[in-house]
Amino acid sequence: MKRFTRMIYKNPDEMVFGKAKFPVSQRWNIQIGAGYVLPEIKVAPVEGSEESKEKMVSECRNITQSACERAVAVGLPAFMLEQEHIFQQTNNPEWTAECTQIQAETLEKYHDEYDIKVSLRATPADIRLEERSPGLRGSDYDNKVMESVEASAANGASDVAIETIGGKSVSDYGIARGDPKAILFGIGVLGSIDMEYMWKRIVDVCKKYDCRPAGDTDCAQANTAMFMAGGLLDKDCSHTLAALARAMAAARSLVAVECGAIGPLKDCGYENPIIKAISGVPIATEGKNAVCAHSDLMGNLTAAVTDVWSNESVYHRQEMGGTTPEVWLQATGYEAALMNTALQTGQEKVLRDLYTLTDKYRDPQALVLAYDNAYRIGEAIVKYGNDPYLRSRAAALESGAIINEAVEAKKMYLTRFERDSLDSALKIFEGLPTESDQFIDECLRKYSRKVAEFDPKSYEL
Amino acid sequence: MSYEELENKMDQTFLAVRYNVEIEGAAIKPEEDLDVVNIIPTEEPFRAIALAVLYEDREASLANVEKALANDISPIDIINNGLMKGMDAVSLLYTKGFYFLPDLMLAGDGMMEGVKECEKVLGHKSETKGTIVSFVAEGDPHDIGKNLVVMFLRAGGYEAIDMGRDVPTVDVVKAIKEYNPIFVTGTALMTTTMTVFPKVVEALQKEGLEVPAIGCGGGAVRKDFVESFPMSVYGVEAYHAPKLADAIVKDKKTWKDLRKEYADIVGEFVSEYS
């Protein structure tokens, strides 16, 4: 596996929405990162649909058809539909097969009839449980995940993405206790090891079919920190520590690309701008049109260098403006249209900068993901590109430096909690071993004892 | 205009205000907070024990407890008048916004170390306010919400039986039979796993069992769904769990009462119950 030790983008100003260094082509005449932004719609199946395969298949068909109807009703030139699997789908690969098939058939029908460009993303759930023997590797759940990946690829998915959970037991411990070392170990080391295990296999499966291996997201870890950090008045996780976790997540999620994923990287990977800067692959992101799913502090900024603009997730139900697949595809569709207008008229860099500046200093988590800062973090990662631990540590230190510079420039203001946790984390990171083996040994001793669910065997440690 | 020029032209506060910074008061020592003063005991060794918990100092907490036990101080008194008082103060500072979750977790670790030492002398587990069973719905691997609930319950003086994640409904029912809990908490992240909650209720009803309330919460869980079946109450925040449990234990509130009086019981504005 070849690691990234150089930046594909030569400077941050090269990065813009709708264009990637390495665009991706998929079936149904769609290109991603090739000069236009694609809206994405994702809808959570309604409660009760999990009771039988027939109900689930019907639910998937209805969601798909609703999205297609609204797409042609409002004249969208292209869109992506994502199906994030529920547990029962992944645990029953025959469900995956039939659901994917009905979605693919529905999308193809609209593509044939209207020539609309469509894309179907399948995201099997990572249902593995570390604490249940034999752990993350070789369990029935592990096998079901891979069977579900194959069922998706074989039955019409344009691409496959996933949100793997390696290292989560330790990073959760670290996030809840404000322990930066545990977060670094959980995301940067354990997460990266597990990503390699999962993604080599996913890429091999996708190669057998007309299905692209897309990418992973650190939803299980960095998003846990972000959600717990919450709004400005929440009290569960320091926003500076969440920003550092996000930077480390980029070093971890990059592993999918190093294993052969080609993008677009999955929407809830807020670390994606950093990975785009490093690798040149197209990315999906989410922000203000994902408020139906959750709140973040960077609703515009995340659009700055996106290639697929997503709503993240929404209940499948009716709103005043229609069903949610209709309403939220329209919302992401209009935002994509704004970006595409900017691209057509040569104003894309202006819009990119405005998107960025609306949120850049709203929160440290936004600051480190502004495209210029994302690029800096990318540079820190590739400098130590061959070592997952060192590059994660470098990402964290660089993001800390970015925050501190903004504080000194009186552009970013921190609470005592944010200030103290940043100072403490940076001090800890600076004092860590410069040898990966030593760091891993220390962490194995400490966290094997403290975190009941953590099983080093799941990482071959 | 370049990015830098645009940025320099802007007044950041016109766009976004960091209200958390704006409202921050002066730094004070935690034991000087006026409400904490009324909680922390004044007599030793209880004051030192409580302060070690308040300062999240696990080693000092353990050392203080060991010293007190060596001086023949009653382990029950150490728990109730020292360790728990420290934890009560920590919980209060969390509620007031001065302390944060990591403070609560680390203080809780210190308190639990001390309690274990006391239990060694007692020869049995110390008394708690009551037993609570906590589980993550079958098919759902997302457990951080449950972990927080368990931590808040233990910090609040309850024995929380942590059943883990992806827990089969039959196992939940079995645990309820075994522990006869005063409260049950269930968490789920997804729309399609929250459907386990009514199945738990149905299984309990089939066996003629009842619990005062099952608190159901998590990512995609909705109040209207939770209120569509009996015995349940929609839980909004993890830290509400011990307050709901207190209402059950102290005021004999039922799930019906909890639904009606949720915001009053947790003592704050709760959008979902407004």
Side-chain angles (χ1 to χ4, degrees):
Chain A
M1 185 174 76
K2 193 172 181 303
R3 302 267 189 197
F4 282 95
T5 54
R6 282 184 306 164
M7 301 291 282
I8 292 296
Y9 278 89
K10 294 307 165 202
N11 66 67
D13 191 49
E14 275 189 281
M15 294 169 67
V16 70
F17 50 76
K19 291 179 184 171
K21 288 277 185 184
F22 303 115
V24 170
S25 292
Q26 297 177 346
R27 66 163 62 123
W28 300 316
N29 190 29
I30 209 157
Q31 295 80 37
I32 298 151
Y36 60 95
V37 174
L38 204 65
E40 175 180 342
I41 178 70
K42 190 195 320 169
V43 179
V46 71
E47 58 266 23
S49 59
E50 79 282 1
E51 286 170 2
S52 71
K53 182 177 72 179
E54 290 68 30
K55 282 186 179 176
M56 192 63 209
V57 170
S58 167
E59 177 75 352
C60 287
R61 184 191 56 233
N62 292 343
I63 289 169
T64 311
Q65 187 145 356
S66 297
C68 288
E69 284 289 316
R70 183 58 63 98
V72 296
V74 298
L76 299 184
F79 79 97
M80 172 187 278
L81 176 89
E82 178 178 0
Q83 172 67 46
E84 268 185 8
H85 288 194
I86 62 166
F87 169 83
Q88 288 84 352
Q89 267 177 296
T90 301
N91 199 38
N92 298 285
E94 71 277 12
W95 289 34
T96 297
E98 288 193 34
C99 290
T100 310
Q101 192 179 12
I102 196 79
Q103 288 169 317
E105 283 173 7
T106 308
L107 288 166
E108 189 164 72
K109 179 170 155 271
Y110 280 83
H111 171 69
D112 290 345
E113 193 167 345
Y114 297 97
D115 204 24
I116 184 171
K117 296 175 180 183
V118 288
S119 171
L120 175 61
R121 163 162 293 178
T123 303
D126 188 355
I127 58 177
R128 298 172 301 153
L129 296 173
E130 187 170 352
E131 71 275 22
R132 203 171 292 175
S133 183
L136 297 180
R137 299 188 178 202
S139 65
D140 285 347
Y141 278 165
D142 182 27
N143 295 333
K144 290 287 165 82
V145 172
M146 294 315 299
E147 287 170 31
S148 198
V149 167
E150 181 136 18
S152 302
N155 286 281
S158 310
D159 70 33
V160 168
I162 194 167
E163 304 171 331
T164 57
I165 49 87
K168 182 171 169 61
S169 58
V170 176
S171 59
D172 274 0
Y173 172 90
I175 291 163
R177 282 171 175 72
D179 179 344
K181 193 172 172 181
I183 298 172
L184 174 57
F185 185 52
I187 294 177
V189 176
L190 302 177
S192 297
I193 291 172
D194 186 58
M195 286 277 288
E196 197 176 330
Y197 169 69
M198 293 299 286
W199 272 94
K200 282 182 173 167
R201 296 185 299 157
I202 293 170
V203 170
D204 285 345
V205 169
C206 288
K207 276 181 185 166
K208 289 158 60 179
Y209 305 94
D210 182 16
C211 176
R212 310 286 179 262
D216 208 306
T217 148
D218 201 25
C219 187
Q221 302 178 301
N223 287 12
T224 297
M226 180 175 79
F227 297 144
M228 286 181 64
L232 295 174
L233 304 185
D234 284 306
K235 299 168 286 189
D236 289 344
C237 176
S238 149
H239 288 210
T240 44
L241 200 53
L244 268 52
R246 180 65 61 196
M248 291 183 247
R252 169 260 183 213
S253 298
L254 181 64
V255 176
V257 183
E258 292 170 328
C259 289
I262 58 173
L265 303 184
K266 194 171 148 41
D267 55 353
C268 62
Y270 281 69
E271 63 273 19
N272 287 347
I274 304 170
I275 305 175
K276 182 172 180 175
I278 295 170
S279 69
V281 301
I283 61 173
T285 65
E286 65 194 37
K288 63 184 167 194
N289 297 120
V291 290
C292 48
H294 60 77
S295 170
D296 63 41
L297 289 162
M298 54 193 106
N300 284 305
L301 180 141
T302 48
V305 297
T306 193
D307 299 291
V308 180
W309 183 241
S310 168
N311 75 309
E312 164 61 325
S313 192
V314 65
Y315 293 119
H316 187 199
R317 66 178 181 194
Q318 195 154 13
E319 302 209 38
M320 288 175 78
T323 63
T324 48
E326 297 171 308
V327 168
W328 291 92
L329 177 57
Q330 188 164 354
T332 56
Y334 277 125
E335 196 62 33
L338 174 64
M339 293 186 242
N340 290 333
T341 304
L343 282 160
Q344 286 270 301
T345 55
Q347 301 301 309
E348 65 268 30
K349 289 190 176 176
V350 175
L351 183 57
R352 173 199 64 187
D353 292 350
L354 294 178
Y355 274 142
T356 304
L357 291 170
T358 59
D359 297 326
K360 190 172 180 183
Y361 298 101
R362 191 178 298 275
D363 195 77
Q365 298 173 88
L367 176 67
V368 301
L369 294 173
Y371 70 94
D372 49 333
N373 292 330
Y375 190 89
R376 276 179 63 179
I377 295 169
E379 287 181 306
I381 289 172
V382 298
K383 193 171 171 190
Y384 298 94
N386 284 315
D387 187 317
Y389 155 61
L390 286 178
R391 74 187 194 182
S392 306
R393 175 174 171 258
L397 287 169
E398 186 66 22
S399 58
I402 289 165
I403 297 168
N404 277 334
E405 286 168 24
V407 170
E408 279 163 29
K410 298 199 182 307
K411 289 181 172 177
M412 171 58 70
Y413 297 92
L414 302 178
T415 62
R416 277 193 298 278
F417 177 48
E418 291 168 338
R419 177 77 265 161
D420 292 348
S421 59
L422 178 62
D423 290 345
S424 163
L426 293 178
K427 194 174 163 196
I428 288 169
F429 289 148
E430 280 158 9
L432 288 176
T434 50
E435 293 297 323
S436 186
D437 288 348
Q438 193 188 338
F439 176 71
I440 291 171
D441 282 349
E442 281 179 17
C443 289
L444 282 175
R445 274 200 301 277
K446 184 172 179 184
Y447 299 112
S448 300
R449 195 164 37 86
K450 286 179 179 285
V451 184
E453 297 84 5
F454 171 45
D455 175 13
K457 285 200 297 294
S458 282
Y459 308 90
E460 294 190 339
L461 291 173
Chain B
M1 204 178 284
S2 74
Y3 180 54
E4 289 73 22
E5 286 169 328
L6 283 171
E7 181 167 336
N8 291 333
K9 209 174 156 63
M10 288 169 48
D11 171 6
Q12 295 301 331
T13 56
F14 183 69
L15 296 170
V17 181
R18 300 212 81 226
Y19 288 109
N20 48 350
V21 177
E22 297 287 318
I23 63 167
E24 195 169 49
I28 57 163
K29 288 184 178 172
E31 70 271 28
E32 288 172 0
D33 177 89
L34 290 177
D35 294 315
V36 171
V37 166
N38 294 327
I39 294 175
I40 299 291
T42 50
E43 58 177 312
E44 296 293 357
F46 304 115
R47 182 172 177 80
I49 292 169
L51 285 177
V53 174
L54 186 63
Y55 273 92
E56 306 155 34
D57 190 337
R58 196 171 172 155
E59 283 174 18
S61 180
L62 192 57
N64 288 339
V65 169
E66 283 170 345
K67 193 175 156 196
L69 288 169
N71 289 333
D72 289 333
I73 307 287
S74 148
I76 297 288
D77 285 347
I78 292 173
I79 293 173
N80 292 337
N81 301 332
L83 294 166
M84 289 307 295
K85 293 292 179 191
M87 205 60 218
D88 287 347
V90 170
S91 299
L92 181 84
L93 289 174
Y94 176 81
T95 307
K96 290 177 82 169
F98 296 126
Y99 266 27
F100 295 83
L101 179 66
D103 300 309
L104 216 51
M105 297 294 280
L106 295 171
D109 289 347
M111 179 198 72
M112 291 307 289
E113 291 269 350
V115 168
K116 277 181 199 160
E117 280 306 302
C118 292
E119 287 176 343
K120 278 186 204 164
V121 174
L122 276 173
H124 58 80
K125 285 190 86 67
S126 57
E127 270 195 34
T128 62
K129 289 187 200 168
T131 301
I132 294 170
V133 166
S134 295
F135 70 97
V136 178
E138 186 167 9
D140 204 318
H142 305 92
D143 64 351
I144 197 158
K146 181 266 299 166
N147 294 342
L148 295 179
V149 167
V150 166
M151 189 277 303
F152 281 112
L153 287 170
R154 286 177 181 162
Y158 290 92
E159 183 183 8
I161 307 295
D162 182 352
M163 298 198 67
R165 52 187 174 161
D166 184 18
V167 183
T169 299
V170 287
D171 290 355
V172 178
V173 174
K174 211 167 129 191
I176 290 170
K177 275 187 194 166
E178 184 181 345
Y179 295 107
N180 191 24
I182 60 105
F183 186 37
V184 176
T185 74
T187 49
L189 187 76
M190 299 150 84
T191 51
T192 47
T193 50
M194 70 179 180
T195 50
V196 161
F197 301 144
K199 287 174 187 157
V200 169
V201 171
E202 203 181 330
L204 289 175
Q205 286 175 326
K206 263 188 193 162
E207 304 224 19
L209 296 166
E210 196 173 357
V211 289
I214 304 176
C216 306
V221 180
R222 296 190 316 270
K223 180 169 174 275
D224 66 324
F225 176 77
V226 172
E227 294 191 349
S228 67
F229 51 92
M231 226 183 284
S232 58
V233 57
Y234 174 61
V236 182
E237 297 287 349
Y239 67 86
H240 291 166
K243 293 179 181 176
L244 297 175
D246 285 348
I248 293 168
V249 172
K250 287 183 196 160
D251 305 323
K252 307 292 172 213
K253 298 286 183 188
T254 66
W255 56 271
K256 287 180 186 163
D257 302 323
L258 298 182
R259 285 186 187 181
K260 277 188 216 149
E261 302 166 33
Y262 191 99
D264 288 338
I265 288 168
V266 301
E268 64 186 37
F269 173 75
V270 183
S271 178
E272 289 82 349
Y273 283 91
S274 62

